[in-house]
Amino acid sequence: MATLSVSKGCFVFKPSAKKKKKTLSLESYFVQGCEDAESSETRLRLCQELWDKIKTDTEVLQDELNRKILDSLLDFTRKCSSTRQNSDWASQMRASEIPTAALMLGVNIPDHDMTFQSLSDMLKQSVSPHVASVQAKECVALKHLMKKVLERLMDTVVVVDDEDEEENVETSPRVHRSVHCSLGILCDWYTARTKKSATDTPGKKRSSQVRDEQQQPPVVIIFKDLEAFNPRVLQDFILICSQYIDRLPLTFIFGIATSPSTIQHMLPHSVSSLLCIELFQSLSCTQHLATVIDKLILTSHIAFKLNGKVMQVLIGVFLYHDFSVRNVIKGLQLALLEHFHSQPLSVLCCKKKQALFNVTQLSKPNLDRIRQLSSFKRYVEKQEAQEQVNLMTDDSHLKEVCQQLIKDLHKYHKNYYPILRCLHTLTSSLPRYPLGKQIRELHLICLANNVWENEDYQSAMKLVKMLAKGELVSLLQKCVEILQLSKSRKMKNALVQLEALLARFKQLDTATEITPTVEASIASPVKNLQKKTDLFQLQKTLLEMNESRRAKRLSPFENLRNEALELIDNLVKSHLFPPESQPLYEVCYYSSSATVRRHLNATPRTSIQAALSNPYHYLQNDSLKSEDGTVSNAAPDICIAYKLHLECGRLINLYDWLEAYSTVVLAAEGNDPDSEHFGKVDEVKHARFIRAVSELEFLGFIKSTKQKTDHVARLTWGGC
């Protein structure tokens, strides 16, 4: 934009209010460096289908988990609105306070946006169209808070002072007129809107309460992150709103991440007494994560799977960073994208019918890739000699075998997850949780090795044997309910056996009967033990007692209990072996934990150092290729300056740095080193060097020092 000015000066031009953000689509990502371009379209389609399914299931799951707390908030706002219409003394006293819902959401801040968006939509649909949400970062001062609230309620431009009015009218596309920042203006607007809605209502006979609620809907203001607000700003806003409560039916919703005591710390009693606060507790983030893992990962309906290391990375990011379930889902989607992008055989990672069809369409290179899989090599080694030759040479025979292996892999998943849930049901209530309290912990154990060889598994089975009859029967009944949801033939057979055992449990008497012969055999040595004091006779009597106890017959309950646990143990040994034992498991399981960790645990300093040390890694320019430890002459100025500063000590002489920089740049320009002008620094190179040094200072690699005026201090040590 050109400007006319006689004198020199600095002119600031504000950018446009809205800019379109460029996002990287799945199509463009698959085009960049995709291995096996022939199957890239099929893999892109399959990836898009799974991506959409995960996204849809996540949204549905989020709505189900938040349904209870959101319904409670809706009832709260309706109740507060109806209370204002009553004429009794108690209701009038309550109406002088501002109804406030303190919503406890937990410290998983990234997940709050989805919750508040659902809450805002439901409030607008069923309670009131007048809903405004504000965040602390956009409400630094009281005038900014008032401005945002009025703009989002009135859907117009609000000017804070006269000098901003002209600019706001020009920049906002949805503005018909501008209003001044005042709650009195909001009251007048609300009165006009309610009168208009009253005249527009059809003339049907309705109860007075319903008519009043429709004509005077509450004005709901949502504070998404209460802890981040300036306490003084919040106090002043509440004091101002309390002056208009008789004209404006306000309702506040505070989003709190830490504890309810935050309100007491931020608001003095003179301000908090103006609020009628009710506490609402949302589902904890750990329960949310357990549900997400159970519905999205531990299911056979989604063909894509994660191996144990990748799952540990995702859970580690959740537990040790932000407790955000949303970021776990992002990590799952990232692993999905990386798997389909880097694994050509991911065309088989889909539903069984589609996978069987895709096997017949495999190209010669993909068939060779199957032969190179470690799991397939182990499968070939177990076959006879002639079969090994056929698998390694005959492509058509290989396709037939691969179809059967794909079927077996899908059967494995259908049997694995029901038995996993049954085992977790039996062991999750045991003391000290030998196999973990959460099902994800048991799943990680099963992914690592044979769970039945684990000492914790053996100790858990011993503890299950000590359960009372009622508790054991209750747990087995839950296992029956789990197996009833499975359509696998083997699971149906297991269901029949387990139901038969439960029927026999119900036929047992609660008391255990002991036969008289056994009682006599036990009692007689005890009497002899009281009579004999001889050491030899004592030892003999104790041995007889031990043998009699061993020979004692088990009670009917103990026999049934052992049969039930033996059935569970056989099911575990038949279906809970690790996925690495399955041929072709690589087509469904993503195993690059380092890639997921690198993307989720961002390290800005490492990325910056990698870009400055090796610009070819990001720019992909052949002229920037160089050997390790050297700097290319054609590299950007900041890269040259950075590589040169690595050779210096704690203090860097700017003149020596400039001379070295000039030498590298002149060599890049192809100047003759023997010429008399070689090594001289002109104004252009001087300016380029100053800019490079300023950029390094901005990035935090160097800083100015008072020790020497012509030196700078180096701040970082050690490369990436």
Side-chain angles (χ1 to χ4, degrees):
M1 186 181 294
T3 57
L4 297 176
S5 178
V6 177
S7 60
K8 294 181 179 180
C10 179
F11 300 91
V12 178
F13 298 98
K14 295 183 178 180
S16 59
K18 293 184 179 180
K19 288 186 177 180
K20 293 184 178 180
K21 296 182 178 179
K22 295 182 179 180
T23 57
L24 182 65
S25 62
L26 288 177
E27 292 83 356
S28 60
Y29 183 82
F30 263 76
V31 170
Q32 299 175 1
C34 181
E35 189 176 354
D36 187 19
E38 296 180 0
S39 62
S40 60
E41 294 183 1
T42 305
R43 289 150 55 194
L44 172 61
R45 177 175 54 80
L46 295 175
C47 180
Q48 185 69 59
E49 291 175 358
L50 283 175
W51 183 289
D52 295 338
K53 180 174 177 56
I54 291 175
K55 182 179 179 181
T56 303
D57 293 349
T58 302
E59 293 174 353
V60 173
L61 188 62
Q62 183 78 18
D63 292 339
E64 292 177 357
L65 293 174
N66 292 330
R67 177 64 59 184
K68 184 177 180 180
I69 185 67
L70 294 181
D71 289 344
S72 300
L73 286 170
L74 295 180
D75 294 339
F76 171 77
T77 53
R78 293 193 189 99
K79 180 182 68 175
C80 295
S81 178
S82 61
T83 301
R84 290 189 178 95
Q85 313 302 327
N86 298 331
S87 58
D88 57 275
W89 180 83
S91 299
Q92 292 298 325
M93 290 299 295
R94 179 63 63 91
S96 63
E97 301 173 346
I98 302 176
T100 303
L103 179 58
M104 305 299 302
L105 291 173
V107 296
N108 50 329
I109 304 297
D111 299 337
H112 295 180
D113 290 338
M114 190 179 298
T115 304
F116 283 120
Q117 183 63 43
S118 301
L119 174 61
S120 179
D121 294 340
M122 294 178 67
L123 285 171
K124 291 179 180 179
Q125 291 174 4
S126 59
V127 178
S128 171
H130 313 309
V131 180
S133 300
V134 291
Q135 288 181 291
K137 63 182 181 180
E138 56 190 13
C139 305
V140 181
L142 177 61
K143 61 180 182 180
H144 299 138
L145 176 57
M146 297 283 288
K147 182 176 184 295
K148 292 297 180 182
V149 170
L150 267 64
E151 282 183 347
R152 288 166 186 173
L153 288 174
M154 301 171 64
D155 195 27
T156 186
V157 165
V158 177
V159 292
V160 178
D161 46 38
D162 296 336
E163 63 183 10
D164 293 338
E165 181 175 357
E166 182 179 355
E167 178 185 354
N168 288 332
V169 172
E170 292 178 356
T171 57
S172 181
R174 60 182 173 87
V175 178
H176 301 287
R177 59 185 180 83
S178 60
V179 298
H180 290 281
C181 185
S182 170
L183 275 186
I185 299 294
L186 180 62
C187 292
D188 296 338
W189 171 84
Y190 178 80
T191 303
R193 288 294 297 268
T194 52
K195 287 183 178 179
K196 182 179 179 181
S197 62
T199 56
D200 294 342
T201 303
K204 295 182 180 180
K205 294 183 179 180
R206 299 181 181 178
S207 64
S208 59
Q209 181 179 356
V210 174
R211 185 171 62 253
D212 290 338
E213 289 180 4
Q214 291 182 348
Q215 293 179 4
Q216 294 185 352
V219 178
V220 183
I221 303 176
I222 302 174
F223 299 85
K224 291 184 176 181
D225 45 353
L226 183 71
E227 290 92 344
F229 275 87
N230 187 337
R232 188 62 187 173
V233 171
L234 196 61
Q235 295 170 22
D236 294 342
F237 182 76
I238 295 174
L239 289 172
I240 294 174
C241 290
S242 65
Q243 303 298 320
Y244 294 87
I245 191 62
D246 56 337
R247 300 174 55 191
L248 199 63
L250 289 169
T251 299
F252 292 162
I253 297 179
F254 290 162
I256 303 175
T258 53
S259 66
S261 60
T262 302
I263 300 177
Q264 300 176 0
H265 296 157
M266 296 184 66
L267 304 177
H269 178 71
S270 59
V271 178
S272 61
S273 61
L274 302 174
L275 305 177
C276 178
I277 302 174
E278 188 170 337
L279 187 64
F280 296 86
Q281 180 69 51
S282 67
L283 192 68
S284 67
C285 54
T286 53
Q287 293 174 317
H288 192 174
L289 177 67
T291 307
V292 167
I293 291 178
D294 186 54
K295 300 296 184 181
L296 297 183
I297 297 179
L298 303 182
T299 175
S300 59
H301 300 296
I302 297 179
F304 174 72
K305 307 296 178 185
L306 301 175
N307 78 337
K309 292 183 178 179
V310 177
M311 276 201 65
Q312 286 178 345
V313 169
L314 295 182
I315 295 174
V317 170
F318 172 84
L319 293 176
Y320 302 114
H321 285 77
D322 52 10
F323 290 99
S324 172
V325 179
R326 184 179 179 183
N327 288 341
V328 173
I329 297 173
K330 284 183 179 179
L332 176 61
Q333 292 177 327
L334 171 65
L336 170 71
L337 185 59
E338 287 287 341
H339 178 68
F340 278 89
H341 180 263
S342 60
Q343 175 58 274
L345 297 177
S346 59
V347 291
L348 306 180
C349 182
C350 52
K351 295 182 179 180
K352 184 172 70 172
K353 291 183 179 180
Q354 181 66 35
L356 295 178
F357 174 77
N358 291 343
V359 169
T360 62
Q361 306 298 317
L362 288 176
S363 60
K364 175 66 175 177
N366 280 339
L367 292 175
D368 293 337
R369 290 187 179 97
I370 289 179
R371 294 186 175 102
Q372 297 299 321
L373 294 177
S374 59
S375 62
F376 187 76
K377 288 181 179 179
R378 291 193 297 269
Y379 172 78
V380 173
E381 291 174 357
K382 298 178 182 178
Q383 307 303 314
E384 297 180 357
Q386 185 58 41
E387 180 67 14
Q388 292 181 4
V389 174
N390 294 336
L391 289 173
M392 302 305 292
T393 57
D394 190 351
D395 292 345
S396 60
H397 180 68
L398 177 61
K399 290 181 180 179
E400 294 177 0
V401 173
C402 286
Q403 286 184 328
Q404 184 59 43
L405 294 178
I406 290 296
K407 291 180 181 179
D408 295 341
L409 185 61
H410 281 266
K411 290 179 182 178
Y412 164 76
H413 288 142
K414 287 183 178 180
N415 297 330
Y416 175 88
Y417 294 112
I419 300 303
L420 179 72
R421 289 186 172 88
C422 289
L423 181 59
H424 175 256
T425 300
L426 289 173
T427 59
S428 60
S429 59
L430 297 176
R432 297 185 180 180
Y433 311 110
L435 292 178
K437 184 178 181 180
Q438 301 292 339
I439 191 172
R440 64 172 183 266
E441 299 172 305
L442 177 59
H443 178 56
L444 290 176
I445 296 175
C446 296
L447 290 178
N449 47 36
N450 296 329
V451 64
W452 59 88
E453 298 176 355
N454 197 316
E455 294 182 0
D456 293 334
Y457 172 82
Q458 298 172 5
S459 62
M461 290 295 102
K462 292 179 181 178
L463 289 174
V464 172
K465 287 185 178 181
M466 300 173 64
L467 294 177
K469 175 187 172 183
E471 190 175 359
L472 180 60
V473 171
S474 176
L475 295 177
L476 292 177
Q477 184 62 43
K478 292 180 181 179
C479 294
V480 168
E481 296 173 359
I482 293 172
L483 295 178
Q484 287 175 346
L485 301 176
S486 177
K487 299 180 180 180
S488 172
R489 184 179 302 174
K490 292 184 178 180
M491 294 300 100
K492 290 181 179 179
N493 294 335
L495 174 62
V496 172
Q497 298 179 32
L498 199 55
E499 287 179 339
L501 287 173
L502 281 176
R504 294 169 60 186
F505 269 114
K506 293 179 181 178
Q507 295 175 357
L508 291 177
D509 295 330
T510 56
T512 304
E513 297 181 357
I514 302 178
T515 58
T517 56
V518 176
E519 290 180 352
S521 63
I522 296 176
S524 57
V526 174
K527 294 180 179 179
N528 295 332
L529 185 63
Q530 295 174 352
K531 296 179 180 179
K532 306 293 182 181
T533 56
D534 185 85
L535 182 61
F536 174 77
Q537 292 295 334
L538 176 62
Q539 185 178 8
K540 182 179 178 181
T541 305
L542 289 175
L543 289 174
E544 290 177 355
M545 291 178 60
N546 190 22
E547 290 178 359
S548 64
R549 287 174 179 173
R550 288 182 180 179
K552 184 185 70 171
R553 289 191 306 169
L554 296 176
S555 66
F557 166 70
E558 291 173 336
N559 287 324
L560 274 181
R561 180 194 61 194
N562 292 341
E563 288 184 31
L565 294 183
E566 184 179 358
L567 174 62
I568 296 296
D569 185 62
N570 292 334
L571 292 174
V572 168
K573 293 179 179 179
S574 301
H575 303 294
L576 286 191
F577 36 81
E580 284 79 2
S581 61
Q582 293 294 306
L584 303 186
Y585 82 95
E586 293 93 341
V587 302
C588 294
Y589 281 81
Y590 181 72
S591 58
S592 181
S593 58
T595 303
V596 176
R597 183 183 293 107
R598 184 174 65 251
H599 284 291
L600 294 182
N601 295 343
T603 52
R605 175 182 172 182
T606 303
S607 301
I608 293 173
Q609 287 180 319
L612 296 178
S613 301
N614 184 20
Y616 173 78
H617 178 71
Y618 291 98
L619 300 179
Q620 296 295 314
N621 189 344
D622 294 336
S623 62
L624 299 178
K625 286 185 177 181
S626 61
E627 299 179 357
D628 294 339
T630 62
V631 57
S632 173
N633 297 334
D637 295 334
I638 186 174
C639 297
I640 297 174
Y642 173 77
K643 294 288 286 186
L644 292 173
H645 111 285
L646 294 178
E647 303 173 0
C648 302
R650 189 176 64 86
L651 295 179
I652 305 175
N653 189 309
L654 286 173
Y655 182 77
D656 295 341
W657 196 4
L658 173 61
E659 289 290 329
Y661 167 81
S662 177
T663 302
V664 175
V665 172
L666 289 173
E669 295 175 353
N671 295 335
D672 185 10
D674 297 331
S675 62
E676 59 181 17
H677 297 289
F678 187 82
K680 294 184 178 180
V681 182
D682 55 12
E683 293 182 355
V684 176
K685 294 183 180 61
H686 196 186
R688 289 168 56 187
F689 174 75
I690 292 175
R691 183 178 64 179
V693 172
S694 301
E695 291 172 348
L696 289 176
E697 184 177 7
F698 175 75
L699 293 174
F701 289 100
I702 59 173
K703 71 172 184 177
S704 58
T705 177
K706 296 181 179 180
Q707 296 182 7
K708 294 183 179 180
T709 56
D710 56 343
H711 286 64
V712 292
R714 181 178 171 184
L715 298 178
T716 60
W717 304 90
C720 58

